[in-house]
Structure formats: structure tokens, C-alpha cells
Amino acid sequence: MLRMQVLETRLGPLAWRSSGDGPPLVFFAGALAGGELWRDVVAALDDRYRCITVDLPLGSHAWALPKGADRSAGSLARLLLDCLELLELHDATLIANDTAGGLLLLSLASEHPALQRVSRLVLTNCESHDQFPPDALRKASALSRRLPRLARGLLRLQLRIPVIRRAVLKGVSASGLDDHRVQSFYRPMREDPNVAGDLIAAMAGFRPQLLLDAEKAIPEFDRPVLLVWGDSCDFFPMEQGERLAAEFPSASLVSVPGAKTWVPVDDPLALADAIVGFVPAPEREPGPVLR
């Protein structure tokens, strides 16, 4: 297991990990997931790329943000790009899923100077257009705004009940999670209610109009974009990926049969293969071919 390092940001400390050497790939996971979401993808890529995972403050992060930290959607979107500056990365490929993908799209309209450090984007099933949050989570987002303490308590309770936890996982992954990932994702919220509070505060700030207003930046993003979309996702169907691919000037779409929202879990090698074909890397010694 890679050693956790601490990245000091304007919002507070974030956990990050790095392995391999080569062109930088920076992975951001969405709500209720951390760097372990990308574990098998990173294992297939770090022989030719530098793979960096950063845990966003979306419920599976190691340390709660300090009181007063700006948890708004715009602030979290800028945080992704802040990380590139703090890690001194250039020509980076940003890879995001789910909530993090929506935040990455939002960041394109931020005029953040670190956008110049981005060479490519890779998105798996994620929020876009008016799906911020997706329809299935609109009530949860509204509750997070109106009654945040109740929303936080319900979230922590749900993740303590195995049958509910399994139902949540079934909605985002066709293959399910091993015990290590389950503990990695859910232990922080069980042990610290303020970690759950960070996710609730973030959800309270999600509104469809934010991404709709940011859509103008999509056709202006002239760098390559790869969409790797699970075709069995209930939250973000294939039609959403097709629409997004059509809006970027230079985008390609890869369908992953049978995968749900968490493509990196359901078919990590399909995702890794797509990235290898998308991001140029130095020649390597002959070795096993991804299957």
C-alpha cells in the first residue's frame, strides 16, 4: 500500500499518494470514495506514468476540514486545480469520476491559472449539465441545505447498517467492493462526524444551475478529452456521456459494457487500456499486455 502524504491546501490538509514515474496522471474520486477507488487502475499504469491520487473532502477523506473552510461547489472545483500548483505539476492529465467529474467540469469556467497545467481530461460517469446533483440525489441535497445536522446523522446511520450499505454500493458498482475498500471509504465518516459534515456541506451547495452556467467553457476547452462510460449506470446514463462528448471540440467516448458509476472498480483494465491509448508515454520494456 502506498504511503499517505499530506498536502496542505487553503481548505485544510488532504491525503495524497504517488507511485511510478513518467507523464503525470492525477486521479480524483467523487463522493463516498477515496484514492483506493483507483487502486487497480493505478497498478496497471504506474510502470509508465506517475500516478497521483488526491482525496477530496467528499466523505472519505482522512481529516475533517477546519471550521470556516469554504465548502462551496466553486471552492471545491478550484481545489482540484490548486492541487496541481501545490504539487508543481505540468502537462498533467486529470482523471475524475462521479462528483469529482462534475467539479472538474465546473473548474473549466473558473479561469484558474492552473488550467494551463492541464494537458488532457479523462472522465468516467459523472455529473454534467443539469445533473448536479443527479436526479436521484436531489432530495438528499435539499435536506443537506435545510437540515444539515439531520442529513449528517442519517448518512452516518445508513453507512452503519449493512443492508443499506450494500444497497448503496449496488447502485454504483456492478462488482461490489472488497473489505479493504469498504473500510477505506467509510471508516472516516464513522469515526468523525465532521468528515460526514464536510460531505453534507458540499452537497448543500450543489445546484444544477452551477454546471449549466459553466457549460460555456466546454466548447472552449481545446485539449483532448476522453470519456470512459459505464453503459449500465443508473445515475449517469450513456446518453449523458454521448452529449458531453459531442460538446467538447476534441473528445472521444469509450463504452464499458456492464459497468455502473464506479468504472474504476467494475472494469479497471478497460479504463487503464483506454488511458494508455490516450496519454502518450515513453517506451517501456516489453511486459505483460493488459487484458
Side-chain angles (χ1 to χ4, degrees):
M1 184 176 179
L2 298 178
R3 181 175 63 87
M4 179 189 297
Q5 302 180 70
V6 181
L7 187 65
E8 295 291 349
T9 77
R10 60 183 167 81
L11 297 187
L14 300 182
W16 70 286
R17 298 172 179 83
S18 176
S19 66
D21 189 32
L25 309 178
V26 188
F27 297 82
F28 296 101
L32 298 178
E36 278 292 304
L37 182 86
W38 307 101
R39 180 189 67 203
D40 300 328
V41 180
V42 168
L45 295 174
D46 66 2
D47 62 339
R48 69 196 89 184
Y49 303 98
R50 183 186 179 196
C51 297
I52 297 168
T53 63
V54 181
D55 292 352
L56 296 174
L58 295 173
S60 294
H61 49 299
W63 310 287
L65 299 183
K67 186 176 181 181
D70 184 355
R71 298 162 175 82
S72 67
S75 174
L76 294 174
R78 292 192 299 275
L79 181 63
L80 274 68
L81 299 175
D82 291 346
C83 292
L84 300 187
E85 290 184 329
L86 293 169
L87 294 169
E88 300 182 344
L89 298 175
H90 297 275
D91 296 323
T93 297
L94 302 192
I95 303 170
N97 85 310
D98 198 10
T99 320
L103 293 173
L104 183 54
L105 291 174
L106 189 61
S107 78
L108 299 183
S110 68
E111 300 184 352
H112 195 299
L115 280 169
Q116 298 306 313
R117 297 170 180 262
V118 179
S119 61
R120 290 171 172 77
L121 302 181
V122 178
L123 297 170
T124 67
N125 300 60
C126 66
E127 290 161 308
S128 66
H129 307 103
D130 66 344
Q131 296 298 294
F132 191 61
D135 291 338
L137 296 179
R138 294 282 170 89
K139 290 182 179 179
S141 181
L143 182 63
S144 298
R145 283 192 291 273
R146 296 170 187 158
L147 298 167
R149 292 186 67 180
L150 175 61
R152 184 183 71 179
L154 288 174
L155 175 61
R156 296 183 74 215
L157 177 63
Q158 289 173 345
L159 294 179
R160 288 177 182 274
I161 301 174
V163 65
I164 297 180
R165 190 168 63 231
R166 286 193 294 270
V168 171
L169 292 175
K170 187 176 180 181
V172 295
S173 172
S175 58
L177 297 184
D178 55 69
D179 288 342
H180 179 75
R181 274 189 171 130
V182 169
Q183 293 302 316
S184 170
F185 292 169
Y186 302 139
R187 182 187 293 121
M189 280 194 298
R190 291 201 302 265
E191 294 183 349
D192 186 351
N194 292 322
V195 170
D198 288 337
L199 174 57
I200 294 301
M203 290 183 62
F206 295 166
R207 290 178 172 83
Q209 195 60 45
L210 292 173
L211 273 185
L212 291 173
D213 290 343
E215 280 186 346
K216 64 182 183 297
I218 291 178
E220 296 173 0
F221 187 82
D222 59 358
R223 281 148 277 178
V225 177
L226 173 66
L227 305 175
V228 185
W229 221 260
D231 72 358
S232 298
C233 179
D234 296 326
F235 291 100
F236 313 110
M238 182 58 67
E239 293 78 10
Q240 191 172 332
E242 292 170 344
R243 178 182 173 188
L244 196 56
E247 292 170 347
F248 279 106
S250 179
S252 55
L253 175 65
V254 175
S255 173
V256 183
K260 292 191 174 184
T261 311
W262 284 359
V263 177
V265 172
D266 286 344
D267 200 337
L269 294 187
L271 177 53
D273 275 336
I275 291 172
V276 168
F278 178 65
V279 183
E283 292 292 328
R284 63 167 185 159
E285 293 298 321
V289 176
L290 293 176
R291 297 186 184 279

